[in-house]
Amino acid sequence: MVNESLTLDEVRRMAAEIGMTRLADEHLQQLLRATNTARARRKVLPLGEITPADEPAHVFHLAAEDKR
């Protein structure tokens, strides 16, 4: 894993490799921030200590339809 932060040009190149060629600079900046943040968070996770029970549960609630 790369420990350095990505640059905007690197993100632009990565996006182009997967066909995301129509992103505006604003969107590339957002992708850059999100990717650098995700890498920083992943870097501090104690991966050796994580178990399947540590996986966050996603709970969805479907509201009942209005029955009149």
Side-chain angles (χ1 to χ4, degrees):
M1 174 177 22
V2 178
N3 291 330
E4 301 173 4
S5 293
L6 291 173
T7 66
L8 185 60
D9 286 334
E10 290 171 321
V11 168
R12 183 178 285 114
R13 203 170 23 256
M14 288 169 52
E17 286 177 4
I18 61 170
M20 298 175 70
T21 58
R22 301 171 93 186
L23 294 177
D25 280 348
E26 175 186 357
H27 299 125
L28 289 167
Q29 287 285 351
Q30 292 172 351
L31 183 57
L32 174 63
R33 284 192 306 271
T35 303
N36 283 334
T37 299
R39 285 182 172 192
R41 289 179 178 169
R42 185 174 50 224
K43 184 178 169 183
V44 298
L45 280 176
L47 296 177
E49 302 169 17
I50 294 178
T51 66
D54 295 320
E55 180 70 26
H58 296 9
V59 179
F60 300 94
H61 174 75
L62 183 61
E65 290 184 32
D66 186 13
K67 297 179 182 179
R68 291 185 199 183

